[in-house]
Amino acid sequence: MQTTSHYGVAPGPLTIGLHKDVCAVLWQGQPVALSHKWVVFYTLLAVHSDRHVSTDEICDHHPWSRLSPHIAGRDMWRFTNTQEERFFGRRITQSPARQTSKLFTLNLDPQRQLTFEPNRPVIADHLRTLRAQRNGISMELSECTLLLYAGLIDQVHTRLHELRARALDVNERAHTETLISMCLDEQQGRDGTAAQQPILYSMLEQPGLNRLNRARVLIRVARHASLSGDYTTARPHFDDLRNLLVPEDGVEFCQYHINYGLFLRRAGKLEQALHHQRVAHEAAQTAQWWYGVYAARSNLALMYLSVAEQSPPMARRSNLERALDWAMRASTTATLTRQPVSQAVAAVLVVRAARLLGQYAVARHWLTVAQQYPDLPDRPSHLGVTLDELALIEDACGNHFLADVAREQAARLRQH
């Protein structure tokens, strides 16, 4: 007579169970006496049974995150070769013969020999929480990331420089340097991040850099090269990122598509750029990363404005309407997440799209919205942009004197 395990699962070759936030591996219906790190190892392989899993990816998860991928890879290779017979009575994993890439996968039929209790999505969610269980420095980096997305750039930059002076391992340093690059990008754009490039490139040469931090560094250097118009340098970085990241990476996967979309837009490939922004938008929504949702929406608005410029008259209006829709959605996201910088930028996008559609009353209303944020990092520059828009609105309405006044005010702001 067939029995069931304490998870209520009929005995099968391999079961991954989750009960009260504790994962377990069962073989033939019986719990296997594995330590926590090996439970995580086999759980990751089971959740991703359709592909190989790298040591870098495994080391993104607690408690493997305490080890470098090189050391962890040797541990995995030794355990799977010498201990699986003892625990399972047979080999249940396999790896490429040469093991140069340190990849592992289950040697089981996922349809007949693999069971999840309660189900695979719940187990996958549990694994995502293990990526968040990090040490104190990583918690500080997470806080800095949240503050950066909230627009508190100067505060974050100060904290990161204090953190930079501490004893950090290679992955903590890589994460810190990428966040500093993001702060400089927000403060000064491409010129601000130029001094960071040698530091970032040196990080790519460091042993022990895990997959996720390698991706973070590559995103920053690829973005800088794109904004500098150095597409020859940017292209191979984006190619590397495409091979490094998977949708489960959430934020980084979204950042790759956002920045690759911007690269394609600058290279004149607008249709491809739109596709990657849509992928980024979907990935950000899935990850519930609302800053990414805002960024993808505002980029879609910008891109549809660019498409409209190149469209014949009949298509121009429909593309402008799409731009206005995405700009309004970007504004809603920024408002809900209380991101003042993003709110101000999104409001300008609404103004521009509404103006080009001839909706001047709407444009004037959103102009007042765009001008109401007092604590922006570079408020004079932002106000100069709003006055440029006002001048164009006044010109379109035949108020040329008022348009000249707005232009003069914008010029004075830019002199300071």
Side-chain angles (χ1 to χ4, degrees):
M1 175 176 156
Q2 194 177 50
T3 60
T4 59
S5 73
H6 62 284
Y7 288 94
V9 179
L14 182 66
T15 298
I16 305 298
L18 180 66
H19 181 64
K20 293 185 177 179
D21 291 330
V22 176
C23 232
V25 174
L26 291 83
W27 184 252
Q28 301 292 354
Q30 298 301 315
V32 183
L34 296 169
S35 65
H36 181 45
K37 75 175 186 177
W38 293 112
V39 171
V40 171
F41 173 78
Y42 287 107
T43 300
L44 271 164
L45 266 57
V47 166
H48 302 296
S49 57
D50 58 334
R51 62 177 174 85
H52 284 82
V53 179
S54 70
T55 54
D56 283 341
E57 185 173 355
I58 293 165
C59 286
D60 286 341
H61 296 74
H62 179 80
W64 288 99
S65 53
R66 298 168 182 166
L67 303 175
S68 74
H70 177 67
I71 292 172
R74 287 190 303 182
D75 200 5
M76 294 169 203
W77 178 243
R78 184 169 52 249
F79 185 92
T80 56
N81 273 274
T82 64
Q83 300 299 313
E84 284 187 354
E85 292 276 356
R86 180 163 74 90
F87 284 102
F88 303 102
R90 52 169 282 198
R91 283 294 305 274
I92 66 167
T93 62
Q94 61 182 6
S95 307
R98 295 182 181 178
Q99 267 296 289
T100 54
S101 54
K102 294 294 187 293
L103 299 173
F104 296 87
T105 190
L106 286 177
N107 189 21
L108 298 172
D109 182 342
Q111 301 300 321
R112 297 186 301 106
Q113 297 180 297
L114 184 57
T115 306
F116 294 97
E117 172 61 31
N119 55 55
R120 182 185 176 281
V122 169
I123 305 291
D125 283 341
H126 173 71
L127 287 174
R128 278 190 279 274
T129 69
L130 296 180
R131 290 181 63 172
Q133 293 180 19
R134 298 167 181 166
N135 58 28
I137 288 175
S138 293
M139 288 300 295
E140 285 191 52
L141 291 169
S142 296
E143 286 181 16
C144 286
T145 303
L146 290 172
L147 291 170
L148 192 158
Y149 292 143
L152 301 175
I153 313 299
D154 292 339
Q155 179 181 334
V156 173
H157 202 184
T158 300
R159 284 185 62 175
L160 289 169
H161 273 280
E162 292 170 356
L163 197 57
R164 185 193 246 175
R166 293 163 64 177
L168 305 176
D169 68 29
V170 63
N171 287 295
E172 291 162 349
R173 186 163 299 282
H175 198 174
T176 301
E177 296 298 343
T178 55
L179 289 174
I180 289 172
S181 297
M182 292 171 74
C183 289
L184 293 168
D185 197 343
E186 292 289 335
Q187 290 170 329
Q188 305 167 43
R190 180 198 65 190
D191 293 340
T193 60
Q196 277 292 103
Q197 298 311 298
I199 298 171
L200 295 175
Y201 276 110
S202 71
M203 294 306 309
L204 292 172
E205 303 299 322
Q206 297 298 312
L209 187 66
N210 67 26
R211 180 184 61 88
L212 207 57
N213 278 306
R214 180 172 296 278
R216 287 170 177 148
V217 173
L218 284 170
I219 287 167
R220 292 297 112 198
V221 296
R223 177 179 173 83
H224 179 81
S226 295
L227 295 178
S228 302
D230 187 357
Y231 305 132
T232 302
T233 298
R235 168 66 77 177
H237 296 325
F238 284 119
D239 290 342
D240 289 344
L241 284 163
R242 181 170 59 250
N243 296 323
L244 270 178
L245 295 168
V246 294
E248 287 81 3
D249 290 319
V251 171
E252 287 74 24
F253 182 77
C254 177
Q255 285 185 336
Y256 155 62
H257 282 283
I258 284 174
N259 283 289
Y260 189 42
L262 293 175
F263 164 82
L264 291 167
R265 177 194 172 207
R266 284 174 160 263
K269 300 177 180 178
L270 278 173
E271 288 302 320
Q272 292 179 46
L274 283 166
H275 165 74
H276 283 278
Q277 292 302 325
R278 292 190 194 99
V279 172
H281 183 247
E282 183 178 342
Q285 286 185 308
T286 300
Q288 297 187 359
W289 182 43
W290 301 114
Y291 182 85
V293 172
Y294 156 77
R297 288 177 172 180
S298 62
N299 285 337
L300 282 162
L302 277 169
M303 288 178 187
Y304 273 113
L305 286 170
S306 297
V307 171
E309 288 179 6
Q310 303 174 15
S311 300
M314 292 296 290
R316 182 176 184 275
R317 184 167 188 86
S318 64
N319 284 318
L320 286 174
E321 287 171 348
R322 290 189 184 97
L324 180 59
D325 177 58
W326 281 113
M328 293 287 284
R329 293 170 72 181
S331 175
T332 299
T333 305
T335 301
L336 289 172
T337 52
R338 298 178 182 177
Q339 302 171 46
V341 175
S342 301
Q343 286 173 270
V345 171
V348 171
L349 285 173
V350 175
V351 171
R352 191 166 299 155
R355 171 178 61 77
L356 290 167
L357 282 164
Q359 299 178 12
Y360 301 121
V362 173
R364 288 181 188 278
H365 165 73
W366 280 92
L367 200 59
T368 62
V369 173
Q371 292 173 335
Q372 72 183 11
Y373 300 97
D375 300 320
L376 301 180
D378 189 4
R379 192 163 188 266
S381 176
H382 171 73
L383 289 177
V385 171
T386 66
L387 289 167
D388 289 338
E389 288 294 329
L390 177 59
L392 291 167
I393 293 168
E394 298 295 6
D395 270 335
C397 294
N399 303 320
H400 302 301
F401 172 76
L402 294 176
D404 289 340
V405 170
R407 289 192 186 93
E408 289 172 7
Q409 291 174 328
R412 282 199 297 273
L413 279 170
R414 291 189 172 104
Q415 289 172 359
H416 295 292

